[in-house]
Amino acid sequence: MPLSEGIPCDEFSSLCAGTIAKETSAPVLCIKVDRVGRAQNLKYAPSPYAGHQDVFVQQAHGGSDPAALRALANLLDLGKSQFPHLIVEASCRTAVEALIEIVRRSWSVYPILRQNGESLFELNLLAREARAQGCGSVPLKPLVFLIRPKMLTA
């Protein structure tokens, strides 16, 4: 599902994490989930986020195989136990099963959508699948990424 395709999610999560850390004086863990590459090649230890004090980043594999889903679930549970604030940034290549695992272990989810009907359709599909998987009580609170209109010239 390309919910976040073409949106600068890295900038958004970095800004959110930095703001949360500054306003709460508490550490924040950013988990970046992507389906690219093999799970064993990813770095599984949090490292400091460049330019942000008290913000740490960790990579996770967003595949659909059972081992990747277990590893993601364990990482989310461990992150919640060690950090008061957790931001999960899932790329557009993340498997639906991994997205559902993220929703299942979240208090609330803020998907970032493009400004079009396709994004709303994909969000609807994700919400239906989340409800079907027993995650209907987790609120999905979409954020719409507004694209500055191109200047029209005569």
Side-chain angles (χ1 to χ4, degrees):
M1 281 192 196
L3 286 176
S4 62
E5 188 173 34
I7 296 175
C9 291
D10 190 49
E11 292 174 37
F12 184 77
S13 64
S14 170
L15 180 64
C16 287
T19 301
I20 292 169
K22 184 177 179 181
E23 290 181 359
T24 64
S25 299
V28 178
L29 176 62
C30 290
I31 298 177
K32 296 180 177 288
V33 182
D34 201 339
R35 193 176 190 166
V36 174
R38 295 173 29 180
Q40 56 266 37
N41 291 343
L42 294 176
K43 185 177 175 184
Y44 283 107
S47 52
Y49 204 103
H52 294 283
Q53 186 177 359
D54 292 328
V55 177
F56 299 86
V57 65
Q58 188 163 1
Q59 295 178 350
H61 192 262
S64 59
D65 63 277
L69 292 173
R70 274 192 308 277
L72 178 60
N74 290 339
L75 178 59
L76 291 168
D77 290 342
L78 184 62
K80 284 179 10 182
S81 71
Q82 294 181 346
F83 289 85
H85 306 286
L86 196 66
I87 294 176
V88 180
E89 179 188 318
S91 80
C92 59
R93 295 176 295 268
T94 303
V96 172
E97 296 86 353
L99 291 173
I100 297 301
E101 201 60 49
I102 293 166
V103 170
R104 185 182 329 277
R105 288 177 159 65
S106 298
W107 294 289
S108 58
V109 175
Y110 296 86
I112 302 172
L113 308 177
R114 290 181 315 276
Q115 206 176 329
N116 62 32
E118 181 184 353
S119 285
L120 291 175
F121 176 76
E122 291 168 350
L123 175 63
N124 186 38
L125 290 177
L126 177 61
R128 286 181 184 200
E129 185 63 26
R131 281 193 301 277
Q133 296 289 328
C135 306
S137 64
V138 177
L140 297 176
K141 303 174 182 183
L143 303 172
V144 178
F145 181 75
L146 300 175
I147 301 168
R148 185 176 300 187
K150 293 181 180 178
M151 297 297 292
L152 298 175
T153 57

